[in-house]
Amino acid sequence: MRKNSVKNIRINNEVMKELSQIIRETKDPRIHPFTSVVAVEVATDLKTCKAYISVLGSEEDRENTGKGLKSAEGFIRRELAHRLNMRNTPEIRFILDTSIEDAMAMMKKIDEVNGVEH
């Protein structure tokens, strides 16, 4: 299976959808309520998965969410196995994605240069 095959894209989308729902249902208080799954890359052998997570909040919220997701990794993987009918349930690696915050900061700088106030 190639990395950008239809099957791989479909698996990525399914894992992303279920992962988003599982994270929302996780009761760990360290996980910020405004946590979203931005992208998922499941390896072609279905053994590993990179989940890019975005947290809308402070730096402390991002750190706490990272710790909470790390400690809930086993639970999240088990839930994913129950919800998806896959031969292998991938080992999930959470990666904090700051692209949304970076884009907002860039827009703010552009507005400052153009003299636009909000």
Side-chain angles (χ1 to χ4, degrees):
M1 179 171 65
R2 292 186 321 270
K3 187 171 179 110
N4 292 328
S5 69
V6 173
K7 182 179 177 184
N8 193 259
I9 291 169
R10 188 172 45 88
I11 289 171
N12 287 343
N13 288 336
E14 275 301 308
V15 170
M16 186 167 116
K17 184 179 90 175
E18 292 299 332
L19 207 53
S20 296
Q21 208 165 10
I22 292 168
I23 289 173
R24 238 180 280 120
E25 295 167 2
T26 304
K27 292 178 173 63
D28 191 325
R30 294 176 290 185
I31 298 175
H32 196 271
F34 293 116
T35 300
S36 58
V37 180
V38 178
V40 170
E41 291 177 5
V42 179
T44 54
D45 63 356
L46 305 178
K47 300 274 188 205
T48 59
C49 168
K50 292 179 187 174
Y52 296 92
I53 306 296
S54 177
V55 180
L56 192 62
S58 67
E59 186 62 38
E60 182 183 354
D61 292 335
R62 284 192 274 289
E63 286 178 24
N64 288 338
T65 299
K67 290 175 187 173
L69 288 172
K70 183 76 176 156
S71 71
E73 211 170 86
F75 166 77
I76 293 171
R77 187 175 182 198
R78 191 171 51 250
E79 277 297 307
L80 196 61
H82 287 298
R83 295 178 187 204
L84 296 177
N85 186 17
M86 294 171 60
R87 184 179 304 128
N88 298 319
T89 304
E91 189 175 318
I92 305 165
R93 196 171 100 220
F94 294 104
I95 301 168
L96 287 176
D97 182 36
T98 60
S99 61
I100 295 173
E101 290 85 10
D102 295 344
M104 289 176 69
M106 186 62 69
M107 290 297 291
K108 190 174 182 179
K109 289 178 182 179
I110 291 171
D111 286 347
E112 287 174 7
V113 169
N114 291 332
V116 178
E117 291 186 27
H118 292 265

